Amino acid sequence: MPPSASRPSARVTEATPLAAGEGIGGRVLADGAPVWLPDVTVEPNFPRAGMAADIGVAGAFAFAFPILIGTEVVGVMEFFTDQTAAPNAPLLEAMAQIGAQVGRVIERQRARDSDRRLNDALMARAAELHSSNADLEQFALIAAHDLQAPLRELRRLVDGVRERESDRLTEAGRERFAAPATPPHGCRS
């Protein structure tokens, strides 16, 4: 059982969805700034005020601060006590700094996750390209082999014409027939 399951305030908080601007967490989410409530039971924008006694925060102060990545609020941390207290600006500022640091941790984790996903995608693409190159090499070998038979036949035909017709060829024709036939690039003779 998670630690929060034994605390009524945590169970109620986890089960109470709040829109931006609603409640202490929603205000922090909407404004991106820390909030201090000296007494949650008299706060008009505290939806859980009616349950305050049941969840152990009757007559309590609360504060919340954003977890920020740049200016984006990626989370809100809320804290409650069983006492009332006047706003404490230095404490709120310290908590805001903690929220910024937690945001940096989240940002680094997101960057690592993004790098990992990108690396996995690149590795998969490299494997696809390697397979494709292997297929192309195999095709080139087969095509070169298949071209050798017609080239041999063409060479045999040219040699036959040269032998039979050499006395009727002009000097330029004899020179053309005398040059050896060169197979296409990549084909062996």
Side-chain angles (χ1 to χ4, degrees):
M1 168 176 5
S4 64
S6 64
R7 302 207 37 211
S9 61
R11 285 195 309 271
V12 169
T13 298
E14 290 171 357
T16 307
L18 299 173
E22 184 180 13
I24 187 171
R27 284 172 56 188
V28 171
L29 179 65
D31 300 337
V35 172
W36 185 284
L37 300 179
D39 184 348
V40 298
T41 60
V42 296
E43 173 63 36
N45 188 8
F46 188 70
R48 295 167 279 179
M51 298 176 273
D54 297 337
I55 62 176
V57 294
F61 82 89
F63 66 90
F65 58 90
I67 297 172
L68 296 170
I69 295 178
T71 59
E72 176 191 6
V73 178
V74 296
V76 174
M77 297 192 75
E78 295 178 333
F79 296 88
F80 299 90
T81 72
D82 57 358
Q83 304 168 15
T84 59
N88 183 331
L91 177 62
L92 272 183
E93 179 59 32
M95 293 298 110
Q97 290 302 315
I98 289 171
Q101 293 303 311
V102 171
R104 296 299 308 238
V105 170
I106 293 169
E107 183 178 34
R108 285 191 297 275
Q109 185 60 48
R110 283 181 176 178
R112 281 191 297 271
D113 291 347
S114 177
D115 288 349
R116 192 175 306 114
R117 283 189 304 273
L118 179 59
N119 190 45
D120 290 348
L122 288 173
M123 294 301 285
R125 185 66 180 137
E128 290 172 14
L129 290 172
H130 180 73
S131 176
S132 178
N133 284 344
D135 291 346
L136 288 172
E137 287 173 7
Q138 183 65 27
F139 173 77
L141 287 172
I142 291 169
H145 180 267
D146 289 349
L147 286 174
Q148 287 178 6
L151 288 174
R152 278 192 300 271
E153 186 62 29
L154 184 58
R155 183 175 296 139
R156 192 183 62 72
L157 180 63
V158 168
D159 289 345
V161 169
R162 184 179 52 222
E163 287 175 19
R164 281 191 313 272
E165 305 294 330
S166 65
D167 56 339
R168 289 191 279 183
L169 292 173
T170 64
E171 186 62 32
R174 276 194 284 284
E175 287 176 12
R176 282 192 203 127
F177 273 100
T182 306
H185 178 71
C187 297
R188 290 182 227 144
S189 54

